[in-house]
Amino acid sequence: MAIHEYQGQGLLNEAGIPVPRGQVAETPEAARGAAVSLGGGPCVVKAQVLAGGRGKGVFDSGLKGGVHLVPNAEEVQKISSQMLGNRLRTKQTSQQGLQVDKVYVAEKIAYDRELYLSIAVDRDNRCPVIIASGHGGMNIEAAAATDANSVVRLPVPNYSQPLSEETSDKVAASLGLDKTHQQKQALRGLLTKLYDLYRSSDATLVEINPLVLTPDGQLLCLDSKFKFDSAARFRQQEIFAFGDGPSSPSSSKDALEAEAERPGFAYVRLEGNIGNIVNGAGLAMATNDAVNYLGGSCANFLDAGGRATKETMADAFRIVLSDERVKVVFVNIYGGIIHGDMVAQAIIEGVQEVGPLRVPLVVRLQGTSAAAGQKMLAECGLKIHSVNDFTEAVELAVRLAGESGPSSASGARSKRSG
Ligand code: GDP
Ligand code: MN
């Protein structure tokens, strides 16, 4: 799970890690107020979206840059009014960009150097890794591409131990902060706290870019990005409450992705027109692969998990069908512990609850008691295309999706049954 920059800066501040003073705002007037309370001087106004590369982003209005340096509170209000309510596209967003509902107003910092510092998971070595570069800022990717040596990776093998001074001093050297005792000490203090925060918050990524060195020798985190292990939700309730779930009014996540969190689905929006409802992440991936292999494209990845109740199916139908792009719904369920007849029952009741589906429904049901379930689907009178073979089912879904243009969706439904 990712959080917004202003939330990340709050976590850093609470952990005693130096960040510029700042306030989040949802209206241009509030942004102006924030600037005034920060002293009314030069400020940075930053669009809050869950994507990086904002500095070089472009708004749908044509405005360039999701991060602006402005001289006073009046200009803060002005630029905020051009950001709020608009969509910001960056290298890390889709073509459509992300809607900006909040801006973060921070005091502008003067600095001598921009550095890059992050802690991530080193999958090969199964431990955290500290990544550091003396060439931080917006061009870090370019710097890394032209000179791989400018980015240093330092695996930290003992996850259960606090960071050693030795490791910290190595990082200091790779950041070029080893010239004076003061610099080394500043980095040691910051990195020790950052590493503690990374561990205690179950983070999988904390990225500070830029970390800046001010003329008076201080280190400050000007921008931060956090990701947390979703499996740690139960013990990181404060952090997960930040999340962009349905409970958060400002969701820059895809609306359907947020909606799908409520019933506990794993849902990812994709670019196609076949709406999938599948149980198990492995089968969901196989389904997406098969659809692509056979010439179709999926509107989503949806792992409905192990439950097969009427409520689950009705929720899944609602979510998938509320996506206007969906031209056919493909349910692919393998009954392991859940029996096929229960799954069929849930599908039938789910369809009945949601009402006549606006697009054809293809169901492939296999596994425990599959035959009983298939029989129920065939006999329920709901025009469900029940196809037992995986490939044939996918072929049919792909064909129906291709046939049903925007207006002929219901016509395609009756063409083939069973
Ligand atoms: P990102 O592009 O999404 O990573 O957004 P950042 O928050 O990193 O801001 C982009 C760039 O704006 C930074 O790399 C800095 O060069 C610049 N910037 C951000 N805050 C300040 C500040 O307080 N003072 C100055 N001088 N530049 C800043
Ligand atoms: Mn940044």
Side-chain angles (χ1 to χ4, degrees), residues 7-20 185-198 200 208 211 218-221 226:
Q7 296 164 327
Q9 296 294 86
L11 288 180
L12 293 177
N13 189 37
E14 273 173 36
I17 297 164
V19 291
Q185 283 301 114
L187 183 78
R188 208 179 273 175
L190 184 143
L191 188 56
T192 305
K193 287 176 189 156
L194 193 64
Y195 189 73
D196 285 346
L197 177 60
Y198 174 87
S200 66
I208 312 296
L211 169 70
Q218 275 191 69
L219 289 172
L220 277 174
C221 301
F226 281 85

Side-chain angles (χ1 to χ4, degrees), residues 94-96 268-274 297-300 325:
S94 71
Q95 235 354 72
Q96 299 154 302
V268 181
R269 181 189 162 97
L270 301 169
E271 296 306 315
N273 60 4
I274 298 177
S297 61
C298 299
N300 67 279
R325 305 167 306 158

Side-chain angles (χ1 to χ4, degrees), residues 54 209-210 223:
R54 295 166 303 166
N209 187 33
D223 179 24

